[in-house]
């Protein structure tokens, strides 16, 4: 079977996924018996291309690189796709899997949640790396998927391609998770690492992070802990059965951490990290984000720079930690592929 | 479907697996739709019990705890099972899955390899935590399994229940592995940790490891690197497509590392670890085991005590490290369960 994939959103993650699909078609067929064609790509800014026979991915990537739009893919014969609403594209195309990779709105989860709902309602599997729908509406969407006998997978929402959900599903099978604790924001981890290793003040390290593209012009979501909070809410709701909303929890960020605090911690053999956690405690599920001084013996302490890591406390295995990238074009593109291949293997 | 499982070997790992099955029957049914009965247990020292209707696991565990044998399970009506050859038990029982968990012989892989061959030939899936067959005969056994349309899974052979193969199959799907490097022997890692943290000489730390049960009376396999070598040969052959034999590679162990070397390394900001690696290089597959001074920035450097860890270098994700237990009754019992559940999910 050759999967028909539709992309909603074609920013960095979408291009990463297309690059991987284009570059690895033969390898994926040989190693996984997996074949796919992309039958539609729609993006609010970049236009729409629909091609039931399969879109030429290399041509599409070149269009986007050279500043053209998806509408330029086949200008002569094409439908008037420029004004198409993604909801209509999702509903009308013949696709097996929709990759929802539009921008994150962590307050409303829109328009991504509506896209996902429409895709599931019209019988498509959905994979997404979008934190909004996963943090705000996971339960509803997972139930809709179940009702429609379709997959709804969200690997890329927490640590890009560093495996979290596939790891838990297969690797930790049979375990109960008691606690999940980790470093879920690469920007703040980079800033704290610079403050310690280069002796920078917070403001100086933040400016460097912005210069390197790790932090945005308005860094609030990262430095005040909102990004890590959204991710730990996803972990809590999906893996611990919680039903938390990000708005219920006030994260504590790193903007009040000074160089002196970082150096004092170092002198006493510990290190500040922005730690996100969720655990069961007395029948309740707790979650939070705050800067913590971790001892050097903690596996999270060694996680430096823009990396992410999670420690799972499991009833059979004890503590297992996974560390890897938390962002990046190919890493997040691989998260989408990871979910698509999981669907392929589960269907096979 | 209720899986019928046969255990060959009933030492620590076998008892761990039985404890988990006995304690988690309801949880496994609710969460994974998984039901199983153990229809046979055979062990060269502890005898044999065969019960097609299902063995009472709690009763069996109590027998073994109180120093009785499996032959005492049902003395009155039982067959004369004491002298049964495990090969005959494997061939004759009606079982879906054989868990091969006898002792490791890294020179011959026997008798485990014969047991696995017989199980596959008579149509059973096989899961094992035994390094011998996996290091010496993986390819042959995997091909036999393929021919017989049965699963042959070996999760517990490298880091007990800390996921390696399930992680690669699902989590790293689509990636090419360029290098695998890690700490695969908890005993030597414990010794090196003690030498640094407690300022012990090698001999002193080894004695402590023996006292705590981390090292055997004859510690050669651990301290000279043979155990780590067998594990990295498995990784190389299974994940990189190598066809190495342990006897082709001379490992270098830690017995010549002195306290002074460890402290000098610490003073210069690095740390000795017994590192096992395998990688592709110029069309060839290399593997080795040797003590290496790693910089503090390496995720493996922070792995202290009897823990294990592996860093995978992947073409799409870059470096991903997983750290967790490398031994233990429940951890290795969970490795067996992990494989059994993977078979269950793949068949479902």
């Amino acid at each position: 079977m050759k999967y028909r994939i539709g992309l909603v959103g074609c920013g960095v993650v979408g291009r990463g996924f297309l690059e991987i699909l284009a570059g690895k078609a033969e390898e994926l067929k040989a190693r996984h018996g997996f074949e796919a064609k992309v039958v539609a790509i729609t993006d609010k800014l970049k236009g729409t291309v629909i091609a039931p026979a399969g879109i030429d991915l290399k041509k599409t990537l070149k269009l986007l690189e050279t500043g053209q739009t998806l509408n330029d893919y086949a200008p002569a014969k094409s439908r008037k796709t420029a004004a198409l609403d993604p909801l209509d594209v999702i509903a009308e195309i013949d696709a097996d899997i929709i990759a929802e990779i539009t921008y994150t709105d962590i307050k409303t989860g829109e328009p991504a949640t509506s896209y996902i709902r429409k895709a599931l309602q019209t019988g498509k599997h959905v994979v997404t790396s979008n934190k909004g729908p996963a943090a705000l509406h996971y339960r509803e969407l997972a139930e809709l998927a179940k009702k429609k006998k379709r997959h709804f997978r969200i690997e890329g929402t927490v640590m890009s391609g560093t495996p979290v959900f596939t790891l838990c599903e297969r690797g930790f099978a049979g375990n109960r998770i008691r606690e999940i604790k980790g470093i879920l924001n690469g920007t703040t981890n980079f800033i704290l690492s610079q403050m310690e290793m280069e002796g920078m003040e917070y403001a100086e390290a933040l400016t460097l992070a912005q210069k390197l593209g790790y932090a945005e012009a308005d860094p609030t979501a990262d430095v005040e802990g909102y990004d890590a909070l959204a991710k730990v809410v996803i972990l809590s709701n999906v893996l611990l059965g919680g039903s938390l909303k990000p708005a219920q929890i006030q994260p504590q960020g790193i903007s009040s951490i000074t160089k002196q605090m970082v150096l004092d911690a170092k002198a006493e053999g510990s290190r500040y990290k922005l730690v996100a956690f969720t655990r069961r405690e007395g029948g309740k599920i707790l979650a939070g984000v705050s800067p913590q001084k971790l001892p050097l013996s903690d596996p999270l302490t060694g996680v430096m720079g823009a990396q992410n890591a999670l420690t799972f406390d499991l009833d059979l295995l004890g503590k297992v930690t996974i560390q890897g990238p938390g962002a990046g074009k190919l890493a997040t593109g691989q998260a989408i592929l990871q979910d698509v291949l999981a669907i392929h293997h589960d269907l096979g």
Side-chain angles (χ1 to χ4, degrees), chain A residues 13 63 67 122 180 214 219 239 256 342:
Chain A
V13 177
L63 274 182
T122 56
I180 309 172
Y214 291 149
L239 297 174
S256 59

Side-chain angles (χ1 to χ4, degrees), chain A residues 22-343:
Chain A
K24 292 215 169 203
E26 279 177 41
E27 189 184 328
L28 292 171
K29 188 177 172 184
R31 289 175 56 199
H32 295 275
F34 173 83
E35 290 183 89
K37 58 183 179 181
V38 176
V39 295
I41 309 173
T42 181
D43 184 285
K44 283 228 165 172
L45 297 173
K46 303 193 185 83
T48 297
V49 50
I50 297 175
I55 293 166
D56 180 333
L57 302 184
K58 286 183 182 164
K59 179 177 159 185
T60 305
L61 287 164
K62 191 162 280 179
L63 274 182
L64 295 172
E65 270 166 34
T66 53
Q68 295 178 272
T69 75
L70 297 168
N71 298 327
D72 300 318
Y73 182 84
K77 299 184 214 163
S78 77
R79 309 165 47 169
K80 284 190 184 163
T81 50
L84 275 183
D85 187 318
L87 279 174
D88 295 329
V89 175
I90 293 167
E92 285 166 25
I93 56 171
D94 281 322
D96 306 297
I97 300 173
I98 295 290
E100 197 294 316
I101 34 188
T102 63
Y103 58 95
T104 290
D105 181 326
I106 198 58
K107 293 230 165 59
T108 67
E110 293 296 352
T113 303
S114 296
Y115 296 161
I116 293 170
R117 216 180 268 129
K118 177 67 77 179
L120 292 170
Q121 279 164 345
T122 56
K124 285 107 180 168
H125 304 288
V126 174
V127 304
T128 188
S129 58
N130 194 320
K131 292 188 294 290
L136 295 165
H137 305 290
Y138 178 77
R139 186 96 13 114
E140 176 216 325
L141 295 170
E143 273 164 22
L144 176 59
K146 197 174 172 189
K147 198 176 121 200
K148 293 288 182 177
K149 295 193 169 57
R150 290 297 178 272
H151 290 265
F152 172 50
R153 299 191 61 94
I154 60 166
E155 185 59 64
T157 59
V158 178
M159 299 209 292
S160 75
T162 302
V164 176
F165 300 104
T166 56
L167 176 65
C168 291
E169 282 167 12
R170 287 290 171 115
F172 299 157
N175 282 275
R176 267 184 180 274
I177 302 173
R178 291 185 288 225
E179 184 184 52
I180 309 172
K181 181 178 122 173
I183 295 169
L184 293 177
N185 182 271
T187 309
T188 45
N189 203 56
F190 173 82
I191 291 172
L192 291 171
S193 295
Q194 288 295 315
M195 289 170 73
E196 177 179 332
M197 296 191 304
E198 307 296 334
M200 289 184 181
E201 282 294 353
Y202 167 77
E204 201 181 347
L206 171 58
T207 304
L208 178 62
Q210 286 170 320
K211 212 162 129 184
L212 293 172
Y214 291 149
E216 295 176 55
D218 175 359
T220 311
D222 288 323
V223 300
E224 298 304 347
Y226 292 100
D227 173 70
L229 178 68
K231 291 168 180 170
V232 87
V233 163
I234 295 170
L235 294 173
S236 193
N237 293 352
V238 178
L239 297 174
L240 297 191
S243 50
L244 304 174
K245 298 281 177 197
Q248 296 170 324
I249 301 159
Q250 183 59 46
Q252 196 188 332
I254 63 160
S255 58
S256 59
I257 305 287
T258 63
K259 172 174 142 185
Q260 195 54 49
M261 288 164 75
V262 168
L263 298 179
D264 287 350
K266 188 180 178 184
E268 70 183 52
S270 64
R271 183 174 282 153
Y272 274 101
K273 291 290 178 193
L274 184 64
V275 174
F277 79 92
T278 178
R279 66 170 168 267
R280 302 175 198 273
E281 201 172 287
K284 285 182 72 177
I285 290 176
L286 305 179
V289 174
S290 62
Q292 291 181 22
K293 268 196 287 189
L294 300 180
L296 291 185
S297 57
D298 192 309
L300 298 176
T301 310
V303 179
M304 301 302 274
Q307 292 261 300
N308 281 192
L310 280 177
T311 299
F312 296 85
D313 186 11
L314 306 157
D315 63 344
L316 299 175
L317 287 179
K319 290 190 179 172
V320 176
T321 300
I322 187 158
Q323 171 180 352
K329 183 164 79 165
L330 288 181
T332 314
Q334 193 273 343
I336 301 296
L337 179 68
Q338 201 182 130
D339 277 344
V340 167
L341 288 175
I343 292 171

